[in-house]
Amino acid sequence: MSSEDKYKLAVKKSELDRVVDSLVKEGLEEIKAGFAGYITIRYKELEKILKNSGVYLAEQSIIDALVKEGIVTVETEGRIVVCPKCKNPSIVVMYTCPSCNSVDIEPTLVMSHVVCGYTGLLVDFKKNDELVCPNCKRRLESEEDYTILGRIFYCHSCKRRFANLSVKFKCIICGEDFGPFDALMKKFYRFKVNLDKVGEYIIRRAKEIVVTEFSKEGFNVAEGGSIRGQSGISHKFDYTATLNEITIGIRFMGFGGKYEAIEAEMAGIYGLSIDLADSEVVIVTPMEISSVETESFGNVHIIVFSSLEDFSRRIRETASLILSKYRKLREADVKEGA
């Protein structure tokens, strides 16, 4: 089995259509990683999209399909440490003393007593709940009595002071202890949505759906083509479909076009319906035109595009409606002839 076949088995076109519909509906431009539980990497926006679209496939399969279509691009957002033994990301990070390897260390302040000039660590000055200079024994009453010079680490086990500490990890799941060079690093990602590619995918799939659904009903569907009207004018279409005496012209209008141009073209549909009175016309447009009636009439079937899933259903209904119309006309002709 080729990798292409595996891809087709993993994600059906109808499933990817529903995912893209949900992407558009949610208006997502980016899908980022989040963390839950024991540092489990989750892509909550993607989970929501899959749930809303009713697609129950592995997230990686969907991402692979979206990447293949160019709908999303993948960027590495970061890396997390995972256990080299069980590959789990549920890790505890522990700072250790570079001298004795103890984990009983803490960051502390380097302080200088203003009066006597003694310099030491905050732990040296602490006495019960007060700050007392270990050199001159005076109490430090306010922040004006001392100066903070910096920060450093202090080991309670060996009393060493150091600026650079060591790190080790412990896996919560299997208990494995390991150091930085033994750790495995797992990437997590940010997925950016390419809105131009989303639009291209929707138009391409909409056209594929037209071909598929009309072909299922027995129509011979051809890309392009024209239908000659009663006026002698040939009207061009994106697709033409024929079956016996039925001829259908299918036109996509307004996908990426300017509003004024769409409005003018929609206004000309009435004349088109008269000139092609012996044919059927299917108009697909992505928006409602407020000043032009967008309901189907006579031999003109207008589909206002909202989503790929809805479009697939409406194309099936339109093909069925046209077939039913001509079936009734034939039955009427038979009765009249009898």
Side-chain angles (χ1 to χ4, degrees), residues 1 28 81 103 114 137 167-168 192 198 213 239 254 260 266 272 285 297 318 333:
M1 182 182 293
L28 285 179
V81 174
V103 295
V114 173
K137 311 304 180 186
V167 177
K168 72 176 182 179
K192 289 195 172 182
V198 170
E213 296 302 333
Y239 290 90
E260 294 79 6
M266 289 291 287
L272 185 67
T285 180
F297 58 92
T318 300
D333 289 341

Side-chain angles (χ1 to χ4, degrees), residues 46-270:
L46 182 59
E47 291 173 7
K48 181 180 179 182
I49 284 171
L50 295 183
K51 181 179 179 181
N52 291 344
S53 59
V55 176
Y56 302 101
L57 292 172
E59 290 179 13
Q60 190 59 53
S61 296
I62 295 297
I63 289 297
D64 289 345
L66 291 172
V67 169
K68 184 180 178 70
E69 294 291 343
I71 292 171
V72 300
T73 54
V74 184
E75 296 180 1
T76 300
E77 188 172 358
R79 298 172 186 257
I80 60 171
V81 174
V82 298
C83 175
K85 183 178 180 181
C86 70
K87 310 299 187 292
N88 199 285
S90 303
I91 302 298
V92 172
V93 180
M94 295 178 287
Y95 292 163
T96 62
C97 173
S99 179
C100 70
N101 207 36
S102 170
V103 295
D104 191 12
I105 66 171
E106 67 171 325
T108 188
L109 299 175
V110 180
M111 302 170 55
S112 177
H113 187 196
V114 173
V115 174
C116 73
Y118 176 81
T119 299
L121 303 183
L122 175 61
V123 292
D124 300 328
F125 284 83
K126 280 185 176 180
K127 188 173 183 180
N128 298 324
D129 294 330
E130 297 180 322
L131 293 179
V132 178
C133 177
N135 180 51
C136 67
K137 311 304 180 186
R138 288 188 176 91
R139 284 195 308 168
L140 281 62
E141 302 287 352
S142 69
E143 293 182 359
E144 295 179 355
D145 294 335
Y146 59 88
T147 302
I148 302 297
L149 301 178
R151 295 172 66 87
I152 202 166
F153 288 96
Y154 174 73
C155 177
H156 290 277
S157 297
C158 70
K159 313 305 180 187
R160 294 288 295 272
R161 305 166 187 195
F162 45 91
N164 299 314
L165 46 71
S166 298
V167 177
K168 72 176 182 179
F169 306 97
K170 187 176 187 66
C171 178
I172 295 174
I173 304 303
C174 71
E176 180 77 359
D177 290 308
F178 56 97
F181 288 103
D182 298 316
L184 297 180
M185 306 294 287
K186 182 177 181 179
K187 291 182 180 181
F188 58 95
Y189 303 95
R190 174 172 57 247
F191 305 102
K192 289 195 172 182
V193 180
N194 187 324
L195 298 179
D196 290 337
K197 291 294 184 181
V198 170
E200 291 174 10
Y201 175 85
I202 288 173
I203 294 172
R204 186 176 74 252
R205 281 292 297 131
K207 291 179 177 180
E208 288 176 0
I209 288 169
V210 165
V211 174
T212 299
E213 296 302 333
F214 275 100
S215 296
K216 283 180 181 178
E217 297 292 348
F219 284 90
N220 179 31
V221 184
E223 187 173 1
S226 60
I227 303 174
R228 183 178 293 275
Q230 295 176 354
S231 65
I233 297 174
S234 290
H235 302 276
K236 293 182 178 181
F237 291 92
D238 294 301
Y239 290 90
T240 51
T242 56
L243 175 63
N244 300 324
E245 77 276 21
I246 309 173
T247 301
I248 305 172
I250 304 160
R251 183 178 293 172
F252 286 79
M253 290 171 48
F255 287 85
K258 293 183 178 180
Y259 179 88
E260 294 79 6
I262 302 164
E263 190 176 41
E265 196 170 1
M266 289 291 287
I269 290 175
Y270 294 102

Side-chain angles (χ1 to χ4, degrees), residues 269-271 273-274 281 293-302:
I269 290 175
Y270 294 102
S273 69
I274 295 171
V281 176
E293 181 62 48
T294 55
E295 293 295 325
S296 299
F297 58 92
N299 62 332
V300 175
H301 311 268
I302 299 176

